[in-house]
Amino acid sequence: MTDFTKEINNCIEVLTQGGLILYPTDTVWGIGCDATNETAVKKVYRLKQREDSKALICLVANDAMLERHVEKVPEVAYDILDLATKPTTIIYDSPIGLAKNAIALDNTMAIRVASDKFCQYLTNKFKRPIISTSANITGDPTPRSFNEIKDHILKGVDYIVNLHHDKKNGPPSSIIKLGNDGTVKVIRE
């Protein structure tokens, strides 16, 4: 079994039990959990010392998984994702099947279709969306690499992926809000 497969399997075991993982995403090192598990999502808020009224991002493996967790994916979303030159997070109206405490107060959810191999395999094999939030305490700068992640975060997760510890973060994802009424708003380029 390759290290890659072993890491995916270890993550799935922790996620299935409601635990937290620290993992390399397509943008930054992230804290993750099962996005359908309210208790696990609560642990993320607690670890980040973040109010649970502040929404989180979740990763999905592909368009099919996205469609299972959003009531109606606007057609323009597919165009945006196809044309994107960097990871792009889209905020959708009316998410379904996700933990209530992961959804914003206005009934929206920020979802990114994973663009790197590790996150795609992980979410695909787990068969559920995974929370993806930066590996820092709320208000602190986002660590630029694994070596900058503070002890509080390292000790607060149940599993740390043993891959890409030498990788520098990529650019943060673009964030675009799409309303079911046809509105498009760029939150972060």
Side-chain angles (χ1 to χ4, degrees), residues 40-58:
V41 170
K42 243 182 233 175
K43 292 178 189 177
V44 171
Y45 285 120
R46 201 172 315 123
L47 179 60
K48 285 187 64 81
Q49 299 172 16
R50 181 176 182 164
E51 290 182 40
D52 63 6
S53 60
K54 193 149 189 282
L56 297 168
I57 291 173
C58 73

Side-chain angles (χ1 to χ4, degrees), residues 112-132:
R112 185 165 69 247
V113 177
S115 60
D116 77 314
K117 186 176 167 186
F118 182 79
C119 292
Q120 284 177 336
Y121 278 64
L122 177 59
T123 50
N124 196 41
K125 187 162 183 185
F126 186 53
K127 295 183 177 31
R128 282 177 257 167
I130 297 172
I131 292 296
S132 178

Side-chain angles (χ1 to χ4, degrees), residues 68-80:
R68 282 195 302 273
H69 292 284
V70 176
E71 194 173 280
K72 179 180 177 250
V73 178
E75 279 302 311
V76 70
Y78 301 108
D79 295 333
I80 291 169

Side-chain angles (χ1 to χ4, degrees), residues 20 24 32-33 47 60 63 97-98 109 111 115 118 124-126 131 136-137 152 156 163 165 179:
L20 303 184
C33 73
L47 179 60
V60 295
D63 290 350
L98 298 170
M109 185 73 200
I111 302 174
S115 60
F118 182 79
N124 196 41
K125 187 162 183 185
F126 186 53
I131 292 296
N136 61 318
I137 293 171
H152 170 78
L163 295 172
H165 285 206

